[in-house]
Amino acid sequence: MPYNVCFYYEGKNMTQTTIEKIAVSDGQEALICGWVYNKRSSGKIRFLLVRDGTGIIQVVIAKPELMDAFDRLTQESSVKVIGRIRADARAPGGYEMEATSIDIVQIADEYPITLKEHGTAFLMENRHLWLRSQRQWAVLRIRAEVIKASRDFFDGNGFTLIDTPIFTPAACEGTTTLFETQYFDDKAYLTQSGQLYSEATAAAFGKVYCFGPAFRAEKSKTRRHLTEFWMIEPEMAFADLDDTMQLAEDFIHFIIQRVLENRQRELSVLERDIEKLRRVKKPFPRISYTDAVQVLQKEGSKIKWGDDFGSPEETLLSSKYESPVLVHRYPTAVKAFYMKPDPQDPNIALGVDVLAPEGYGEIIGGGQRLDDHALLLKRIEEHQLPKESFTWYLDLRRYGSVPHSGFGMGIERVTAWMCGIDHLRETIAFPRTLYRIYP
RNA sequence: UCCUCAGUAGCUCAACGGUAGAGCAUCCGGCUGUUAACCGGAGGGUUGGGGGUUCGAAUCCCUCCUGAGGAGCCA
């Protein structure tokens, strides 16, 4: 195994074994490098729970010469432990290690996070340590799987990864507040979406996607918002709204299958009801905005045609389905300036939002882009956007303009849904929220 | 920005006008199969800051600070 630690012990060279793959070492001597998760003792026999980032194993200490080392160990002390691996039903995990050597790397100071309950304020203050907990381990491993599945999906379907800039000269969408920063003698803004640039790269590469952080300076203070979040955004030339809806459906379905296949242990640590994920089936329901408004009104909502959906409307609508629902053709007035109007009715835009089930809300927003130069120019003026900044964007409509469409998917929202957890802050290692930028 | 709720031991909480307490963590002692082990003992506090009411305030009132949830906006 490459990149694993070696350790010279009693004339032998031991190579580090990961707890995840401990079964292959059954009956043999192995080296585990990790941290003390917990310890217990019962008279002359002691139990040490060691975690190494891939799992947790119980180490049994019966040799008298190891007792002193055991007694000195504190929670989260770092250790290298050598011992014989054997299956034992009494051990959490099914395998345990009978220690022959304990090499203490560092004795940890009194660890603030105990195995008892803590409040979220305290845990967030200690986010750098909270990451070591089982639950955070499971969530972030699922996040990694969501990202890997996303990239595999696009890479495997003819999309080229072309990343877009973080520093931008102006707003992508005039509506949202941007983080302003100094750019030498000028001002620059942190991007809130790579989409506009992906429209340029789509005209160069056909099918593209970008994956990176997005920044929104909105003073949103809810469990569904971060000021810094990660978004994956495909964009396709020669594609219309229906193509994009099909892509979104296939994409989400693919991610769910991957998570179910490869992250069973993590889902069970989180006690996720995986039946709810299994019940997601293609084709996903599709409903026009206009029909959705009627459904909502029938359910007692006070929404009127022309209003954008708020969080309560999203929850109400999506609760009627077991699969994500694709809501398409919104009023032009509530959507971004670059949305293409429906040729049948200019008051309607060819946009689509995907609402996840179980109240997880909007996970995807996208649609077909305006490809007409004159109309796009008019919209930029109507939205009072700085025209100079959009010269290049308008150029895309002058040189071989084509129907094109795409969407953006929020990694954290999808991860929260996969995990069945109720707050976005746990789906990213170091969340940035309205009132938190530490640690 | 607005609305609601909460700040008491390192952590999670109790005491709700009358001497600030428990569990966990820490330290000491006990136990040969523990499963957030258990049992016994010890140390640990300007009750978020400031002001007010009262004989007396963690408790009631005002104000500020910090945090959480929600609204708007969005992925």
Side-chain angles (χ1 to χ4, degrees):
Chain A
M1 264 190 281
Y3 311 120
N4 278 359
V5 174
C6 290
F7 186 58
Y8 189 72
Y9 170 69
E10 287 185 355
K12 288 176 292 200
N13 248 329
M14 302 281 300
T15 302
Q16 180 190 0
T17 305
T18 57
I19 295 166
E20 187 176 36
K21 294 178 176 158
I22 203 70
V24 301
S25 302
D26 193 11
Q28 296 164 37
E29 198 154 66
L31 163 66
I32 296 285
C33 303
W35 296 263
V36 174
Y37 181 74
N38 196 11
K39 53 189 254 190
R40 297 185 270 267
S41 71
S42 177
K44 297 288 177 288
I45 190 165
R46 317 280 162 102
F47 301 94
L48 194 64
L49 286 153
V50 176
R51 59 163 196 91
D52 74 346
T54 73
I56 295 176
I57 192 167
Q58 174 162 285
V59 178
V60 184
I61 290 120
K63 292 171 76 175
E65 61 270 33
L66 295 179
M67 295 303 177
D68 178 58
F70 176 92
D71 289 343
R72 287 170 55 215
L73 287 172
T74 55
Q75 190 188 354
E76 288 303 318
S77 288
S78 36
V79 286
K80 294 179 186 173
V81 193
I82 291 172
R84 186 163 299 280
I85 304 299
R86 58 177 161 72
D88 192 313
R90 291 170 294 187
Y95 289 89
E96 63 183 17
M97 171 187 266
E98 201 163 335
T100 50
S101 152
I102 298 174
D103 182 39
I104 297 172
V105 180
Q106 193 241 344
I107 296 291
D109 286 353
E110 189 181 333
Y111 193 63
I113 301 178
T114 65
L115 296 174
K116 298 282 177 177
E117 283 165 19
H118 296 282
T120 46
F122 174 78
L123 290 168
M124 286 307 304
E125 202 59 28
N126 291 285
R127 181 62 176 168
H128 51 299
L129 303 175
W130 188 21
L131 294 174
R132 303 179 185 194
S133 78
Q134 283 254 75
R135 176 184 160 91
Q136 302 310 310
W137 173 85
V139 171
L140 292 172
R141 298 250 299 188
I142 289 169
R143 175 195 170 97
E145 188 66 31
V146 167
I147 292 170
K148 182 166 177 2
S150 297
R151 301 188 60 146
D152 286 350
F153 177 84
F154 291 120
D155 292 344
N157 282 286
F159 288 75
T160 304
L161 172 72
I162 309 283
D163 285 320
T164 53
I166 306 286
F167 287 130
T168 59
C172 296
E173 307 167 25
T175 54
T176 338
T177 316
L178 295 164
F179 284 105
E180 189 180 296
T181 183
Q182 203 64 34
Y183 196 74
F184 302 110
D185 294 334
D186 282 323
K187 279 177 183 162
Y189 302 88
L190 301 184
T191 186
Q192 55 185 296
S193 162
Q195 183 212 313
L196 270 54
Y197 292 96
S198 283
E199 290 184 51
T201 62
F205 296 83
K207 291 194 283 185
V208 299
Y209 70 102
C210 64
F211 177 51
F215 307 89
R216 306 260 164 111
E218 282 291 333
K219 299 213 167 178
S220 300
K221 191 171 161 31
T222 81
R223 66 181 78 188
R224 291 180 306 280
H225 290 87
L226 299 169
T227 55
E228 178 182 319
F229 63 97
W230 286 69
M231 192 154 61
I232 193 154
E233 298 175 278
E235 191 74 25
M236 302 182 285
F238 297 100
D240 62 15
L241 176 63
D242 286 340
D243 296 322
T244 283
M245 291 203 285
Q246 189 59 51
L247 181 74
E249 176 183 302
D250 292 341
F251 177 45
I252 291 169
H253 190 260
F254 183 84
I255 292 172
I256 294 170
Q257 300 319 306
R258 277 290 193 85
V259 169
L260 286 172
E261 262 168 53
N262 299 333
R263 288 293 180 257
Q264 282 184 20
R265 260 181 72 212
E266 290 80 357
L267 290 168
S268 85
V269 166
L270 296 169
E271 295 176 320
R272 177 65 163 124
D273 178 0
I274 59 171
E275 276 313 307
K276 291 199 166 133
L277 294 176
R278 287 219 178 97
R279 267 186 237 125
V280 173
K281 294 262 161 62
K282 293 201 278 187
F284 296 172
R286 284 150 213 238
I287 185 170
S288 71
Y289 167 87
T290 304
D291 290 347
V293 168
Q294 287 192 355
V295 169
L296 288 168
Q297 286 171 342
K298 227 174 272 176
E299 297 281 335
S301 168
K302 281 182 283 179
I303 195 165
K304 300 185 303 292
W305 197 97
D307 295 343
D308 203 356
F309 292 169
S311 188
E313 285 79 26
E314 285 183 1
T315 305
L316 182 57
L317 187 62
S318 62
S319 69
K320 303 183 74 68
Y321 307 97
E322 290 191 325
S323 294
V325 54
L326 286 72
V327 185
H328 56 84
R329 293 181 172 80
Y330 283 80
T332 307
V334 301
K335 285 293 172 185
F337 76 94
Y338 51 71
M339 284 269 186
K340 187 181 173 76
D342 191 333
Q344 321 263 303
D345 178 357
N347 293 317
I348 287 175
L350 296 176
V352 59
D353 283 353
V354 180
L355 309 180
E358 301 176 65
Y360 281 94
E362 185 180 345
I363 50 171
I364 278 182
Q368 193 168 342
R369 323 303 188 188
L370 234 180
D371 49 38
D372 180 76
H373 186 276
L375 186 53
L376 181 59
L377 184 60
K378 191 170 154 233
R379 284 286 157 78
I380 288 172
E381 283 165 349
E382 282 168 5
H383 283 78
Q384 297 177 326
L385 297 169
K387 229 186 318 182
E388 323 75 59
S389 302
F390 289 93
T391 305
W392 68 269
Y393 188 62
L394 284 156
D395 270 358
L396 302 174
R397 279 75 183 167
R398 294 175 64 205
Y399 305 107
S401 188
V402 293
H404 61 289
S405 60
F407 61 77
M409 186 192 80
I411 294 292
E412 289 78 13
R413 286 191 179 175
V414 170
T415 303
W417 172 37
M418 292 298 107
C419 295
I421 60 175
D422 67 354
H423 207 300
L424 245 48
R425 68 184 153 214
E426 291 184 55
T427 62
I428 185 165
F430 295 99
R432 296 292 174 245
T433 59
L434 184 51
Y435 295 121
R436 184 171 296 283
I437 197 168
Y438 176 92

